[in-house]
Amino acid sequence: MNTNFKLKLTALGHPNPETFNCEDEKEYRSVVLWLEDQKIRHYKIEEREGLRSIDSENWKEAYDIYQKDLVSPVVDGTLNEQLNWLLSYAVRLEFADNVSKYKDVQVEQPKQAAPNVVSSNPLDNLNFESPAFKAGVDRVCTLAGVGPHPDPKFRLAAVAKILKTSPHPEPQKSDTIVINQPVDVLNLLFIQDLRELQTKINEALVAVQTITADPRTDTKLGKVGR
Amino acid sequence: MVVRQYNEELKYLEKINAHCWKIKKGFQPNMKVEGVFYVNNTLEKLMLDELRNSCRPGMTGGFLPGVKQIANVAALPGIVGRSVGLPDVHSGYGFAIGNMAAFDMSNPDSIVSPGGVGFDINCGVRLLRTNLHEKDVIPIKEQLAQSLFDHIPVGVGSKGIIPMNARDMEEALEMGMDWSLREGYVWAEDKEHCEEYGRMLNADPSKVSLRAKKRGLPQLGTLGAGNHYAEIQVVDEIYDKFAAGKMGLERLGQVCVMIHSGSRGFGHQVATDALVQMEKAMKRDQIDVNDRQLACARINSKEGQDYLKAMAAAANFAWVNRSSMTFLTRQAFAKQFKMAPDDLDMHVIYDVSHNIAKVEEHVIDGKLMTLLVHRKGSTRAFPPHHPLIPVDYQLTGQPVLIGGSMGTCSYVLTGTHQGMTETFGSTCHGAGRALSRAKSRRNIDYKDVLNKLESMGISIRVASPKLVMEEAPESYKNVTDVVNTCHAAGISKKTVKLRPIAVIKG
């Protein structure tokens, strides 16, 4: 874990990444403060008091709140996991601030061998890079409590996982119409598609019947019981 | 069975709301879940009277009272949720008729029981609509009833008029309604409007005894006896205009045909064969039950699987049977009105099965579970938007067809979300017997029954008039009580009331 921290601290320009020891409580706390002060800057300066009081017993509490405010996915993880996420987040912000500077850096990609398949499913043709898509995912993720990640597709997968495993929260009364109307529209569109499909199935069955059908009756076989 | 005073017994029963009673654990030994039954005031009295009678000294033999049977089912291995008694519940073989119970497929101890399906496997109701009005039919009502009677053989030992050989039979058992479709006896739309699309895919005719096949072969396309009937009915009342419209029932007086029949001797033989096998399996696997009639086998055992495959074949037989009668009904109408069945708009509204066990997915305590749902004298009633109901009923919920007793009325209901959570998407199936067959024969005169029907303007054709008193309305609970209870309890919703104008039966 230490090499990982070292790498990220170096990238962020921390003054002494070589000697940082994550097991030392004081050093750990000062790195967190340094990250907020220099890189993340999520709070206004006066709001950082809690994190600044490194020697106080209340620091842990402030740290927990800080992580929740950042929607860290590892609030309940170990201290190392928490710091690792903070570092990655800071790196991400740093990158976002200077995209033009970093984007020319070439990483050698292995050649894609897969053939180019053109799909007729509109969902497959979504532009995952478009700002609209990113903004949409962002909004859904905030609602579902999914933390930030540079790849919106990754976040979408996380949202899908959450929706599958945990029951859907009841919408607030004021929101029911907003939520139910699109649901109704989707339902009706779905039913319309289903009706078309069923009609096609019926047509296929009727087409086969013209070849196979030969209904017969023989009244001589009939017998009324007692 | 535990012997207690009636007052002691009552301590185990608790009325939880106006239409629902709870049967607490301990009412019968080893109850794994609680029982529940739905009643209104009238039906409640019938239920409790039955229990009181059984508590009197010297009352042994015969069937246990319905409440006891519901509780015994709650003691079967692998049962989940609750053992549910519907408002038409009455004593049957092992399981009460009007009882549904679901068993967890992932629990290796879970069982399947032929008593939980009934002897008439896939007994069910099919409703056809027409574009005729009552006034079109009244002048030729007698001829129409006679024509139906001529086309659809009825009664014990009756034989059908659709030629079948042994090979046709094997194919029909495997394919269900797809066989009728291939042979041209039904329309493509009929399959669409049938529970399970008229075919159980796990049917395996090789698991059915030769004896059952021999019994079944000449009976395809026959109505049978007992409570089975074909009725010409008219729309008497519409409660839910939207849902009725989706079913093509637009106006009062519109003529419909209801067919209530099952798998005849074939299903009976399949059930009888299975019971013999299961008694052996119970000994081997040391399955303990409260009542010998609750013979069962683990779902995953050879006996359990063999029964499910044979039962599915019997279910397919019943669908082919009802499909054949649909064909014959269309012919009878076409001849009388000299119009094609197409032009008479004789579409199948729906076809329900009220004696069957099926694998379904349900949400129990927020968790999705795969269950083997037994419905005996209980109809599936899935809510709107359920994936297993036809696209035409996605907005209304599944149509539920409730056949009344002879000469009374029938109902069409729809499934609800509440029913899905409370009763595994199940509701009542009919009136439910109040008097035993023997008692009816003793107490009621068949001439009175026939005269009464005539005075109500109902044409009747029966194969055995001397048995009609078994089916007299007096022998049954009031179907309106039953249906109103289901509606009030929220487990299904009233849509249409139908009134008979002609009856043919065994």
Side-chain angles (χ1 to χ4, degrees), chain A residues 187-188 191 194-195 198 202 205-206 209 212-219 221-226, chain B residues 153-154 156-161 163 181-186 192 327 385 391-392 394-395 463-464:
Chain A
N187 265 329
L188 289 172
I191 290 171
L194 214 54
R195 183 61 261 174
Q198 184 70 59
N202 290 354
L205 289 175
V206 171
Q209 269 189 321
T212 62
D214 180 21
R216 278 172 300 158
T217 52
D218 183 353
T219 39
L221 295 173
K223 184 183 158 206
V224 175
R226 312 175 256 117
Chain B
V154 298
V156 180
S158 53
K159 290 184 178 172
I161 65 168
L181 197 58
R182 189 186 73 188
E183 300 298 315
Y185 290 105
V186 292
E192 184 192 335
F327 173 76
H385 303 303
V391 50
D392 292 342
Q394 281 288 314
L395 293 175
S464 45

Side-chain angles (χ1 to χ4, degrees), chain B residues 183-220:
Chain B
E183 300 298 315
Y185 290 105
V186 292
W187 303 344
E189 293 84 357
D190 296 358
K191 178 180 162 68
E192 184 192 335
H193 283 176
C194 184
E195 194 169 315
E196 216 75 10
Y197 298 101
R199 176 180 188 171
M200 296 279 269
L201 291 170
N202 62 334
D204 184 351
S206 72
K207 302 293 180 195
V208 176
S209 69
L210 200 59
R211 187 146 179 229
K213 288 175 190 166
K214 275 194 175 147
R215 271 180 82 176
L217 185 57
Q219 293 179 337
L220 257 182

Side-chain angles (χ1 to χ4, degrees), chain B residues 14-223:
Chain B
E14 183 194 337
K15 191 168 184 169
I16 48 179
N17 63 45
H19 296 100
C20 190
W21 283 67
K22 185 162 84 179
I23 307 170
K24 292 185 216 166
K25 288 186 187 175
F27 184 62
Q28 287 290 81
N30 292 323
M31 283 174 70
K32 301 188 173 55
V33 295
E34 289 181 328
V36 69
F37 59 93
Y38 292 85
V39 284
N40 65 5
N41 288 336
T42 326
L43 300 170
E44 172 184 310
K45 201 174 156 291
L46 286 173
M47 263 321 247
L48 297 179
D49 280 352
E50 188 187 39
L51 177 63
R52 181 182 298 141
N53 283 336
S54 76
C55 291
R56 287 201 316 237
M59 286 303 288
T60 48
F63 286 138
L64 296 173
V67 240
K68 285 279 174 190
Q69 290 192 320
I70 296 170
N72 279 340
V73 167
L76 289 174
I79 188 167
V80 291
R82 315 183 288 182
S83 169
V84 180
L86 284 317
D88 48 345
V89 74
H90 60 280
S91 307
Y93 184 89
F95 282 59
I97 298 163
N99 188 185
M100 70 75 41
F103 299 84
D104 181 2
M105 292 287 285
S106 64
N107 179 347
D109 293 333
S110 290
I111 55 95
V112 53
S113 172
V117 172
F119 282 91
D120 192 359
I121 295 167
N122 191 4
C123 181
V125 182
R126 173 176 292 204
L127 187 63
L128 307 178
R129 68 172 188 237
T130 72
N131 54 12
L132 296 164
H133 190 270
E134 190 177 3
K135 65 176 190 296
D136 304 324
V137 173
I138 293 290
I140 56 163
K141 198 173 62 162
E142 292 298 330
Q143 293 94 308
L144 197 56
Q146 187 60 42
S147 175
L148 267 184
F149 191 73
D150 292 340
H151 277 78
I152 304 178
V154 298
V156 180
S158 53
K159 290 184 178 172
I161 65 168
I162 290 178
M164 290 275 273
N165 58 35
R167 207 179 126 230
D168 295 329
M169 176 80 169
E170 292 284 322
E171 289 178 351
L173 293 180
E174 191 185 323
M175 295 172 68
M177 227 163 124
D178 285 343
W179 182 85
S180 307
L181 197 58
R182 189 186 73 188
E183 300 298 315
Y185 290 105
V186 292
W187 303 344
E189 293 84 357
D190 296 358
K191 178 180 162 68
E192 184 192 335
H193 283 176
C194 184
E195 194 169 315
E196 216 75 10
Y197 298 101
R199 176 180 188 171
M200 296 279 269
L201 291 170
N202 62 334
D204 184 351
S206 72
K207 302 293 180 195
V208 176
S209 69
L210 200 59
R211 187 146 179 229
K213 288 175 190 166
K214 275 194 175 147
R215 271 180 82 176
L217 185 57
Q219 293 179 337
L220 257 182
T222 66
L223 192 61

Side-chain angles (χ1 to χ4, degrees), chain A residues 1-10 17 20 22 84 87:
Chain A
M1 199 50 120
N2 253 326
T3 26
N4 188 358
F5 289 157
K6 201 158 61 181
L7 210 62
K8 286 177 183 163
L9 284 171
T10 314
F20 171 63
C22 60
N84 187 39
L87 283 166

Side-chain angles (χ1 to χ4, degrees), chain A residues 1 10 23 56 65 78-79 107 164 181 197 202 211 213:
Chain A
M1 199 50 120
T10 314
E23 304 298 329
S56 153
I65 295 171
T78 64
L79 281 176
V107 181
K164 254 187 224 159
Q181 272 179 348
L197 175 66
N202 290 354
I211 301 164

